[in-house]
DNA sequence: ATTTAAATATGACCTTTATCATAATTTAAA
DNA sequence: TTTAAATTATGATAAAGGTCATATTTAAAT
């Protein structure tokens, strides 16, 4: 038998990684299967050995991306919940996040999801729930926070990043991000 | 001379209206010129007599939509600033807004704008500035509100609507909208 | 080294869609 | 009622891109 099980898995991961990066940056329709495969140094022919369709890939890439996120990784253990949330806000509301490639799907794909299939939309909803619940739980270990406060905070940081990507003027973006960072900190017990 | 100046103008408006409605609902790539023209009972042939290209139409439709908005319409005169903001929040954070066709481009097109041309992105940025400035000015006529507070509030309501469109579970959506409505009201002097 | 199943690449197909050329239609004015 | 300029419709063109069929290459196991 050719190719180790490992190699095939690794290739699959590479495709998912490239796919998510490109989808997040440009949305479903503005990315071609070709671009994705070239991005990980393959050609489009190899694609259908790994995935059923472009739509299928999109959904899988979304789930893959979530698995890479802070939320799924650094479960607050050594670092306190407070530190964890501080870092989350700092990272999330940074210009690097807005411009960079390690992107939160909730912000980067917000309107793109609307025209995807039901399964993908379910995935998105689950991600939102996850993020929201995590923030709520962590916050309530060291301060009082209502569910409404946390929900609105989650909407705020997602909105801030989504809008920031669309705005050209850098000064406006920095201002928006800083403002949201400040207000979010106040709401989460002054962090 | 055939067709009154008026008729041509009206047709142009109809195209813009249909275009915005469809673009807001599905994004640039998921809408065809054909669909837009059929939506206002014309065929695609008539299109290029009115607009230079699909991309051009998108930008014009965006500007057209802004002109229809509360922001551009009901300048607080008879109604007080407080009432105006109350209605803005009620409307903006309503399920009807999320599901309906009178849609705010800031929320509905947030990620779609990223892959549009520079001119369109400039338009979007201007709309954001406009909305933000309006809220800031009106709020500060009856309460104290920092720029940071208003910026974060604007991000919040945009984020709430953008995310709500992508979430399938209605109860979650209602919860999110209500939470944001409450927090926004608190921030704008308890409305 | 040879074998061979799996992975990858290449070329082709077919659909979709923006755009244009041209024909048909409309209606204000003569 | 006729005219003519503008609008609208129809048909054609061409490009893009998702998907598939087939050829080629790869490397684990013998």
């Amino acid at each position: 038998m050719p190719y180790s099980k490992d190699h095939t898995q690794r290739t699959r991961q590479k495709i998912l990684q490239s796919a998510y990066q490109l989808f997040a940056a440009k949305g479903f329709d503005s990315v071609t299967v070709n671009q994705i495969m070239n991005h990980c140094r393959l050609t489009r022919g190899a694609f259908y050995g790994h995935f059923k369709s472009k739509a299928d890939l999109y959904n899988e890439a979304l789930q893959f991306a979530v698995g890479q996120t802070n939320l799924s990784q650094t479960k607050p253990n050594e670092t306190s919940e407070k530190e964890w949330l501080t870092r989350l806000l700092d990272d999330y509301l940074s210009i690097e996040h807005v411009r960079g490639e390690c992107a939160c799907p909730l912000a980067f794909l917000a309107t793109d999801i609307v025209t995807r299939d039901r399964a993908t939309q379910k995935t998105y909803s689950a991600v939102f729930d996850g993020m929201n619940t995590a923030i709520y739980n962590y916050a309530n270990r060291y301060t009082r926070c209502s569910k409404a406060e946390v929900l609105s905070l989650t909407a705020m940081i997602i909105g801030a990043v989504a809008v920031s990507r669309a705005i050209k003027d850098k000064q406006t973006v920095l201002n928006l991000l800083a403002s949201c960072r400040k207000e979010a900190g106040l709401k989460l017990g002054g962090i």
mmCIF file of all heavy atoms in Angstrom, chain C residues 9-24:
data_model
loop_
_atom_site.group_PDB
_atom_site.id
_atom_site.type_symbol
_atom_site.label_atom_id
_atom_site.label_comp_id
_atom_site.label_asym_id
_atom_site.label_seq_id
_atom_site.Cartn_x
_atom_site.Cartn_y
_atom_site.Cartn_z
ATOM 1 P P DA C 9 -0.294 17.197 -7.536
ATOM 2 O OP1 DA C 9 0.940 17.992 -7.377
ATOM 3 O OP2 DA C 9 -1.572 17.703 -7.022
ATOM 4 O "O5'" DA C 9 -0.455 16.851 -9.076
ATOM 5 C "C5'" DA C 9 0.557 16.072 -9.723
ATOM 6 C "C4'" DA C 9 0.253 15.917 -11.203
ATOM 7 O "O4'" DA C 9 -0.848 14.979 -11.377
ATOM 8 C "C3'" DA C 9 -0.162 17.205 -11.915
ATOM 9 O "O3'" DA C 9 0.519 17.244 -13.166
ATOM 10 C "C2'" DA C 9 -1.669 17.076 -12.082
ATOM 11 C "C1'" DA C 9 -1.864 15.574 -12.182
ATOM 12 N N9 DA C 9 -3.130 15.065 -11.655
ATOM 13 C C8 DA C 9 -3.650 15.279 -10.415
ATOM 14 N N7 DA C 9 -4.795 14.663 -10.189
ATOM 15 C C5 DA C 9 -5.037 13.991 -11.371
ATOM 16 C C6 DA C 9 -6.087 13.146 -11.784
ATOM 17 N N6 DA C 9 -7.137 12.830 -11.018
ATOM 18 N N1 DA C 9 -6.028 12.636 -13.043
ATOM 19 C C2 DA C 9 -4.979 12.954 -13.810
ATOM 20 N N3 DA C 9 -3.933 13.732 -13.531
ATOM 21 C C4 DA C 9 -4.027 14.216 -12.284
ATOM 22 P P DT C 10 0.448 18.561 -14.059
ATOM 23 O OP1 DT C 10 1.814 18.812 -14.535
ATOM 24 O OP2 DT C 10 -0.272 19.615 -13.314
ATOM 25 O "O5'" DT C 10 -0.456 18.122 -15.287
ATOM 26 C "C5'" DT C 10 -0.357 16.775 -15.752
ATOM 27 C "C4'" DT C 10 -1.390 16.522 -16.826
ATOM 28 O "O4'" DT C 10 -2.584 15.945 -16.237
ATOM 29 C "C3'" DT C 10 -1.857 17.757 -17.596
ATOM 30 O "O3'" DT C 10 -1.826 17.452 -18.984
ATOM 31 C "C2'" DT C 10 -3.267 18.015 -17.088
ATOM 32 C "C1'" DT C 10 -3.721 16.613 -16.731
ATOM 33 N N1 DT C 10 -4.742 16.538 -15.660
ATOM 34 C C2 DT C 10 -5.795 15.652 -15.805
ATOM 35 O O2 DT C 10 -5.927 14.936 -16.770
ATOM 36 N N3 DT C 10 -6.686 15.647 -14.755
ATOM 37 C C4 DT C 10 -6.626 16.420 -13.607
ATOM 38 O O4 DT C 10 -7.476 16.331 -12.730
ATOM 39 C C5 DT C 10 -5.498 17.322 -13.524
ATOM 40 C C7 DT C 10 -5.347 18.204 -12.317
ATOM 41 C C6 DT C 10 -4.625 17.337 -14.542
ATOM 42 P P DG C 11 -2.145 18.610 -20.072
ATOM 43 O OP1 DG C 11 -1.171 18.461 -21.165
ATOM 44 O OP2 DG C 11 -2.293 19.899 -19.366
ATOM 45 O "O5'" DG C 11 -3.575 18.164 -20.606
ATOM 46 C "C5'" DG C 11 -3.831 16.784 -20.808
ATOM 47 C "C4'" DG C 11 -5.290 16.576 -21.143
ATOM 48 O "O4'" DG C 11 -6.061 16.471 -19.921
ATOM 49 C "C3'" DG C 11 -5.923 17.710 -21.950
ATOM 50 O "O3'" DG C 11 -6.691 17.146 -23.007
ATOM 51 C "C2'" DG C 11 -6.769 18.464 -20.934
ATOM 52 C "C1'" DG C 11 -7.171 17.349 -19.971
ATOM 53 N N9 DG C 11 -7.443 17.793 -18.616
ATOM 54 C C8 DG C 11 -6.735 18.718 -17.883
ATOM 55 N N7 DG C 11 -7.225 18.912 -16.679
ATOM 56 C C5 DG C 11 -8.315 18.058 -16.618
ATOM 57 C C6 DG C 11 -9.242 17.816 -15.564
ATOM 58 O O6 DG C 11 -9.276 18.339 -14.441
ATOM 59 N N1 DG C 11 -10.192 16.863 -15.915
ATOM 60 C C2 DG C 11 -10.245 16.229 -17.126
ATOM 61 N N2 DG C 11 -11.229 15.346 -17.284
ATOM 62 N N3 DG C 11 -9.391 16.440 -18.122
ATOM 63 C C4 DG C 11 -8.462 17.364 -17.795
ATOM 64 P P DA C 12 -7.682 18.044 -23.913
ATOM 65 O OP1 DA C 12 -7.605 17.523 -25.283
ATOM 66 O OP2 DA C 12 -7.408 19.475 -23.619
ATOM 67 O "O5'" DA C 12 -9.112 17.669 -23.309
ATOM 68 C "C5'" DA C 12 -9.406 16.307 -23.037
ATOM 69 C "C4'" DA C 12 -10.864 16.190 -22.592
ATOM 70 O "O4'" DA C 12 -10.966 16.596 -21.205
ATOM 71 C "C3'" DA C 12 -11.814 17.088 -23.383
ATOM 72 O "O3'" DA C 12 -12.983 16.355 -23.701
ATOM 73 C "C2'" DA C 12 -12.080 18.251 -22.435
ATOM 74 C "C1'" DA C 12 -11.966 17.592 -21.063
ATOM 75 N N9 DA C 12 -11.529 18.481 -19.980
ATOM 76 C C8 DA C 12 -10.483 19.359 -20.004
ATOM 77 N N7 DA C 12 -10.317 20.027 -18.878
ATOM 78 C C5 DA C 12 -11.333 19.537 -18.058
ATOM 79 C C6 DA C 12 -11.697 19.839 -16.736
ATOM 80 N N6 DA C 12 -11.068 20.729 -15.978
ATOM 81 N N1 DA C 12 -12.754 19.175 -16.218
ATOM 82 C C2 DA C 12 -13.388 18.275 -16.984
ATOM 83 N N3 DA C 12 -13.135 17.909 -18.235
ATOM 84 C C4 DA C 12 -12.080 18.587 -18.724
ATOM 85 P P DC C 13 -14.193 17.087 -24.429
ATOM 86 O OP1 DC C 13 -14.768 16.106 -25.359
ATOM 87 O OP2 DC C 13 -13.731 18.410 -24.914
ATOM 88 O "O5'" DC C 13 -15.241 17.311 -23.246
ATOM 89 C "C5'" DC C 13 -15.466 16.265 -22.303
ATOM 90 C "C4'" DC C 13 -16.587 16.677 -21.378
ATOM 91 O "O4'" DC C 13 -16.051 17.504 -20.316
ATOM 92 C "C3'" DC C 13 -17.666 17.509 -22.063
ATOM 93 O "O3'" DC C 13 -18.929 17.069 -21.602
ATOM 94 C "C2'" DC C 13 -17.347 18.932 -21.640
ATOM 95 C "C1'" DC C 13 -16.767 18.713 -20.243
ATOM 96 N N1 DC C 13 -15.811 19.764 -19.781
ATOM 97 C C2 DC C 13 -15.892 20.213 -18.456
ATOM 98 O O2 DC C 13 -16.746 19.736 -17.706
ATOM 99 N N3 DC C 13 -15.011 21.164 -18.029
ATOM 100 C C4 DC C 13 -14.096 21.652 -18.875
ATOM 101 N N4 DC C 13 -13.261 22.576 -18.404
ATOM 102 C C5 DC C 13 -13.999 21.209 -20.226
ATOM 103 C C6 DC C 13 -14.872 20.272 -20.638
ATOM 104 P P DC C 14 -20.229 17.458 -22.436
ATOM 105 O OP1 DC C 14 -20.969 16.221 -22.785
ATOM 106 O OP2 DC C 14 -19.849 18.409 -23.503
ATOM 107 O "O5'" DC C 14 -21.054 18.229 -21.321
ATOM 108 C "C5'" DC C 14 -20.790 17.960 -19.937
ATOM 109 C "C4'" DC C 14 -21.226 19.143 -19.112
ATOM 110 O "O4'" DC C 14 -20.099 20.019 -18.847
ATOM 111 C "C3'" DC C 14 -22.280 20.016 -19.801
ATOM 112 O "O3'" DC C 14 -23.301 20.290 -18.877
ATOM 113 C "C2'" DC C 14 -21.513 21.259 -20.238
ATOM 114 C "C1'" DC C 14 -20.466 21.356 -19.135
ATOM 115 N N1 DC C 14 -19.232 22.111 -19.499
ATOM 116 C C2 DC C 14 -18.619 22.909 -18.519
ATOM 117 O O2 DC C 14 -19.104 22.946 -17.387
ATOM 118 N N3 DC C 14 -17.506 23.602 -18.851
ATOM 119 C C4 DC C 14 -17.001 23.529 -20.089
ATOM 120 N N4 DC C 14 -15.905 24.219 -20.363
ATOM 121 C C5 DC C 14 -17.624 22.720 -21.102
ATOM 122 C C6 DC C 14 -18.724 22.034 -20.763
ATOM 123 P P DT C 15 -24.708 20.838 -19.341
ATOM 124 O OP1 DT C 15 -25.677 19.740 -19.219
ATOM 125 O OP2 DT C 15 -24.543 21.564 -20.628
ATOM 126 O "O5'" DT C 15 -25.022 21.907 -18.195
ATOM 127 C "C5'" DT C 15 -24.587 21.645 -16.855
ATOM 128 C "C4'" DT C 15 -24.162 22.934 -16.196
ATOM 129 O "O4'" DT C 15 -22.893 23.377 -16.719
ATOM 130 C "C3'" DT C 15 -25.142 24.097 -16.404
ATOM 131 O "O3'" DT C 15 -25.619 24.500 -15.133
ATOM 132 C "C2'" DT C 15 -24.336 25.162 -17.124
ATOM 133 C "C1'" DT C 15 -22.895 24.785 -16.776
ATOM 134 N N1 DT C 15 -21.870 25.213 -17.772
ATOM 135 C C2 DT C 15 -20.819 25.997 -17.349
ATOM 136 O O2 DT C 15 -20.682 26.384 -16.204
ATOM 137 N N3 DT C 15 -19.924 26.314 -18.339
ATOM 138 C C4 DT C 15 -19.975 25.943 -19.671
ATOM 139 O O4 DT C 15 -19.105 26.304 -20.458
ATOM 140 C C5 DT C 15 -21.109 25.124 -20.042
ATOM 141 C C7 DT C 15 -21.273 24.676 -21.463
ATOM 142 C C6 DT C 15 -21.990 24.798 -19.083
ATOM 143 P P DT C 16 -26.847 25.497 -15.032
ATOM 144 O OP1 DT C 16 -27.741 25.027 -13.959
ATOM 145 O OP2 DT C 16 -27.368 25.712 -16.401
ATOM 146 O "O5'" DT C 16 -26.138 26.837 -14.542
ATOM 147 C "C5'" DT C 16 -25.043 26.753 -13.647
ATOM 148 C "C4'" DT C 16 -24.249 28.043 -13.683
ATOM 149 O "O4'" DT C 16 -23.361 28.059 -14.824
ATOM 150 C "C3'" DT C 16 -25.110 29.311 -13.804
ATOM 151 O "O3'" DT C 16 -24.801 30.166 -12.722
ATOM 152 C "C2'" DT C 16 -24.736 29.894 -15.161
ATOM 153 C "C1'" DT C 16 -23.325 29.360 -15.356
ATOM 154 N N1 DT C 16 -22.864 29.252 -16.758
ATOM 155 C C2 DT C 16 -21.657 29.824 -17.098
ATOM 156 O O2 DT C 16 -20.949 30.425 -16.302
ATOM 157 N N3 DT C 16 -21.287 29.655 -18.420
ATOM 158 C C4 DT C 16 -22.005 28.992 -19.394
ATOM 159 O O4 DT C 16 -21.575 28.918 -20.540
ATOM 160 C C5 DT C 16 -23.262 28.424 -18.974
ATOM 161 C C7 DT C 16 -24.106 27.688 -19.962
ATOM 162 C C6 DT C 16 -23.624 28.576 -17.689
ATOM 163 P P DT C 17 -25.697 31.410 -12.380
ATOM 164 O OP1 DT C 17 -25.592 31.668 -10.928
ATOM 165 O OP2 DT C 17 -27.006 31.203 -13.024
ATOM 166 O "O5'" DT C 17 -24.941 32.600 -13.139
ATOM 167 C "C5'" DT C 17 -23.558 32.767 -12.935
ATOM 168 C "C4'" DT C 17 -23.013 33.816 -13.865
ATOM 169 O "O4'" DT C 17 -22.706 33.236 -15.160
ATOM 170 C "C3'" DT C 17 -23.971 34.983 -14.156
ATOM 171 O "O3'" DT C 17 -23.261 36.188 -14.014
ATOM 172 C "C2'" DT C 17 -24.397 34.741 -15.600
ATOM 173 C "C1'" DT C 17 -23.120 34.143 -16.158
ATOM 174 N N1 DT C 17 -23.261 33.398 -17.430
ATOM 175 C C2 DT C 17 -22.238 33.483 -18.352
ATOM 176 O O2 DT C 17 -21.222 34.121 -18.151
ATOM 177 N N3 DT C 17 -22.444 32.783 -19.507
ATOM 178 C C4 DT C 17 -23.561 32.024 -19.845
ATOM 179 O O4 DT C 17 -23.632 31.451 -20.914
ATOM 180 C C5 DT C 17 -24.597 31.992 -18.822
ATOM 181 C C7 DT C 17 -25.840 31.207 -19.088
ATOM 182 C C6 DT C 17 -24.396 32.676 -17.689
ATOM 183 P P DA C 18 -23.961 37.505 -13.490
ATOM 184 O OP1 DA C 18 -23.838 37.548 -12.031
ATOM 185 O OP2 DA C 18 -25.275 37.614 -14.115
ATOM 186 O "O5'" DA C 18 -23.015 38.646 -14.094
ATOM 187 C "C5'" DA C 18 -21.627 38.555 -13.875
ATOM 188 C "C4'" DA C 18 -20.877 39.012 -15.112
ATOM 189 O "O4'" DA C 18 -21.107 38.073 -16.188
ATOM 190 C "C3'" DA C 18 -21.297 40.379 -15.633
ATOM 191 O "O3'" DA C 18 -20.128 41.158 -15.889
ATOM 192 C "C2'" DA C 18 -22.077 40.071 -16.911
ATOM 193 C "C1'" DA C 18 -21.439 38.773 -17.373
ATOM 194 N N9 DA C 18 -22.336 37.898 -18.139
ATOM 195 C C8 DA C 18 -23.555 37.411 -17.764
ATOM 196 N N7 DA C 18 -24.122 36.640 -18.659
ATOM 197 C C5 DA C 18 -23.218 36.611 -19.694
ATOM 198 C C6 DA C 18 -23.226 35.959 -20.941
ATOM 199 N N6 DA C 18 -24.227 35.181 -21.369
ATOM 200 N N1 DA C 18 -22.158 36.136 -21.750
ATOM 201 C C2 DA C 18 -21.147 36.907 -21.320
ATOM 202 N N3 DA C 18 -21.024 37.564 -20.171
ATOM 203 C C4 DA C 18 -22.106 37.373 -19.392
ATOM 204 P P DT C 19 -20.292 42.711 -16.192
ATOM 205 O OP1 DT C 19 -19.031 43.372 -15.816
ATOM 206 O OP2 DT C 19 -21.571 43.163 -15.629
ATOM 207 O "O5'" DT C 19 -20.399 42.735 -17.783
ATOM 208 C "C5'" DT C 19 -19.336 42.179 -18.545
ATOM 209 C "C4'" DT C 19 -19.730 42.081 -20.010
ATOM 210 O "O4'" DT C 19 -20.704 41.037 -20.205
ATOM 211 C "C3'" DT C 19 -20.359 43.351 -20.598
ATOM 212 O "O3'" DT C 19 -19.496 43.848 -21.603
ATOM 213 C "C2'" DT C 19 -21.701 42.890 -21.158
ATOM 214 C "C1'" DT C 19 -21.471 41.398 -21.320
ATOM 215 N N1 DT C 19 -22.691 40.551 -21.327
ATOM 216 C C2 DT C 19 -22.905 39.701 -22.400
ATOM 217 O O2 DT C 19 -22.134 39.618 -23.335
ATOM 218 N N3 DT C 19 -24.063 38.960 -22.329
ATOM 219 C C4 DT C 19 -25.002 38.982 -21.311
ATOM 220 O O4 DT C 19 -25.987 38.275 -21.366
ATOM 221 C C5 DT C 19 -24.719 39.892 -20.227
ATOM 222 C C7 DT C 19 -25.673 39.990 -19.075
ATOM 223 C C6 DT C 19 -23.597 40.621 -20.280
ATOM 224 P P DC C 20 -19.794 45.282 -22.261
ATOM 225 O OP1 DC C 20 -18.526 46.041 -22.272
ATOM 226 O OP2 DC C 20 -20.997 45.868 -21.652
ATOM 227 O "O5'" DC C 20 -20.147 44.856 -23.758
ATOM 228 C "C5'" DC C 20 -19.345 43.873 -24.407
ATOM 229 C "C4'" DC C 20 -20.041 43.375 -25.662
ATOM 230 O "O4'" DC C 20 -21.136 42.497 -25.295
ATOM 231 C "C3'" DC C 20 -20.645 44.492 -26.525
ATOM 232 O "O3'" DC C 20 -20.330 44.227 -27.880
ATOM 233 C "C2'" DC C 20 -22.152 44.354 -26.251
ATOM 234 C "C1'" DC C 20 -22.279 42.862 -26.044
ATOM 235 N N1 DC C 20 -23.473 42.436 -25.279
ATOM 236 C C2 DC C 20 -24.295 41.428 -25.789
ATOM 237 O O2 DC C 20 -24.001 40.905 -26.874
ATOM 238 N N3 DC C 20 -25.388 41.045 -25.084
ATOM 239 C C4 DC C 20 -25.666 41.631 -23.917
ATOM 240 N N4 DC C 20 -26.755 41.218 -23.257
ATOM 241 C C5 DC C 20 -24.833 42.664 -23.377
ATOM 242 C C6 DC C 20 -23.757 43.036 -24.078
ATOM 243 P P DA C 21 -20.425 45.419 -28.972
ATOM 244 O OP1 DA C 21 -19.054 45.789 -29.334
ATOM 245 O OP2 DA C 21 -21.355 46.441 -28.471
ATOM 246 O "O5'" DA C 21 -21.122 44.674 -30.200
ATOM 247 C "C5'" DA C 21 -21.471 43.292 -30.054
ATOM 248 C "C4'" DA C 21 -22.378 42.840 -31.187
ATOM 249 O "O4'" DA C 21 -23.583 42.301 -30.586
ATOM 250 C "C3'" DA C 21 -22.873 43.919 -32.146
ATOM 251 O "O3'" DA C 21 -23.183 43.303 -33.392
ATOM 252 C "C2'" DA C 21 -24.097 44.458 -31.435
ATOM 253 C "C1'" DA C 21 -24.678 43.187 -30.810
ATOM 254 N N9 DA C 21 -25.335 43.391 -29.522
ATOM 255 C C8 DA C 21 -24.955 44.256 -28.527
ATOM 256 N N7 DA C 21 -25.740 44.220 -27.465
ATOM 257 C C5 DA C 21 -26.687 43.255 -27.796
ATOM 258 C C6 DA C 21 -27.801 42.746 -27.090
ATOM 259 N N6 DA C 21 -28.157 43.149 -25.865
ATOM 260 N N1 DA C 21 -28.550 41.797 -27.697
ATOM 261 C C2 DA C 21 -28.195 41.393 -28.919
ATOM 262 N N3 DA C 21 -27.161 41.790 -29.675
ATOM 263 C C4 DA C 21 -26.450 42.741 -29.048
ATOM 264 P P DT C 22 -23.778 44.178 -34.636
ATOM 265 O OP1 DT C 22 -23.222 43.606 -35.868
ATOM 266 O OP2 DT C 22 -23.607 45.615 -34.333
ATOM 267 O "O5'" DT C 22 -25.334 43.826 -34.592
ATOM 268 C "C5'" DT C 22 -25.733 42.459 -34.428
ATOM 269 C "C4'" DT C 22 -27.222 42.388 -34.214
ATOM 270 O "O4'" DT C 22 -27.554 42.687 -32.828
ATOM 271 C "C3'" DT C 22 -28.055 43.365 -35.048
ATOM 272 O "O3'" DT C 22 -29.184 42.678 -35.572
ATOM 273 C "C2'" DT C 22 -28.479 44.422 -34.040
ATOM 274 C "C1'" DT C 22 -28.664 43.542 -32.813
ATOM 275 N N1 DT C 22 -28.681 44.258 -31.525
ATOM 276 C C2 DT C 22 -29.645 43.935 -30.601
ATOM 277 O O2 DT C 22 -30.483 43.069 -30.797
ATOM 278 N N3 DT C 22 -29.589 44.656 -29.429
ATOM 279 C C4 DT C 22 -28.679 45.648 -29.102
ATOM 280 O O4 DT C 22 -28.730 46.222 -28.026
ATOM 281 C C5 DT C 22 -27.695 45.933 -30.122
ATOM 282 C C7 DT C 22 -26.669 46.995 -29.870
ATOM 283 C C6 DT C 22 -27.742 45.242 -31.262
ATOM 284 P P DA C 23 -30.029 43.330 -36.771
ATOM 285 O OP1 DA C 23 -29.705 42.589 -37.994
ATOM 286 O OP2 DA C 23 -29.892 44.809 -36.723
ATOM 287 O "O5'" DA C 23 -31.518 42.948 -36.324
ATOM 288 C "C5'" DA C 23 -31.761 41.647 -35.761
ATOM 289 C "C4'" DA C 23 -32.939 41.733 -34.817
ATOM 290 O "O4'" DA C 23 -32.545 42.475 -33.629
ATOM 291 C "C3'" DA C 23 -34.149 42.474 -35.394
ATOM 292 O "O3'" DA C 23 -35.327 41.728 -35.107
ATOM 293 C "C2'" DA C 23 -34.149 43.811 -34.668
ATOM 294 C "C1'" DA C 23 -33.525 43.447 -33.339
ATOM 295 N N9 DA C 23 -32.843 44.549 -32.660
ATOM 296 C C8 DA C 23 -31.794 45.299 -33.133
ATOM 297 N N7 DA C 23 -31.388 46.220 -32.293
ATOM 298 C C5 DA C 23 -32.215 46.058 -31.189
ATOM 299 C C6 DA C 23 -32.294 46.736 -29.953
ATOM 300 N N6 DA C 23 -31.493 47.737 -29.616
ATOM 301 N N1 DA C 23 -33.247 46.320 -29.083
ATOM 302 C C2 DA C 23 -34.050 45.321 -29.433
ATOM 303 N N3 DA C 23 -34.066 44.607 -30.557
ATOM 304 C C4 DA C 23 -33.117 45.037 -31.401
ATOM 305 P P DA C 24 -36.680 42.144 -35.836
ATOM 306 O OP1 DA C 24 -37.296 40.911 -36.351
ATOM 307 O OP2 DA C 24 -36.437 43.283 -36.729
ATOM 308 O "O5'" DA C 24 -37.550 42.638 -34.603
ATOM 309 C "C5'" DA C 24 -37.658 41.801 -33.452
ATOM 310 C "C4'" DA C 24 -38.276 42.584 -32.312
ATOM 311 O "O4'" DA C 24 -37.341 43.593 -31.860
ATOM 312 C "C3'" DA C 24 -39.557 43.328 -32.691
ATOM 313 O "O3'" DA C 24 -40.534 43.049 -31.707
ATOM 314 C "C2'" DA C 24 -39.153 44.810 -32.686
ATOM 315 C "C1'" DA C 24 -38.012 44.822 -31.685
ATOM 316 N N9 DA C 24 -37.017 45.866 -31.897
ATOM 317 C C8 DA C 24 -36.303 46.118 -33.033
ATOM 318 N N7 DA C 24 -35.464 47.118 -32.927
ATOM 319 C C5 DA C 24 -35.639 47.557 -31.625
ATOM 320 C C6 DA C 24 -35.040 48.589 -30.886
ATOM 321 N N6 DA C 24 -34.098 49.400 -31.386
ATOM 322 N N1 DA C 24 -35.439 48.758 -29.611
ATOM 323 C C2 DA C 24 -36.386 47.941 -29.118
ATOM 324 N N3 DA C 24 -37.012 46.928 -29.709
ATOM 325 C C4 DA C 24 -36.589 46.799 -30.977
#
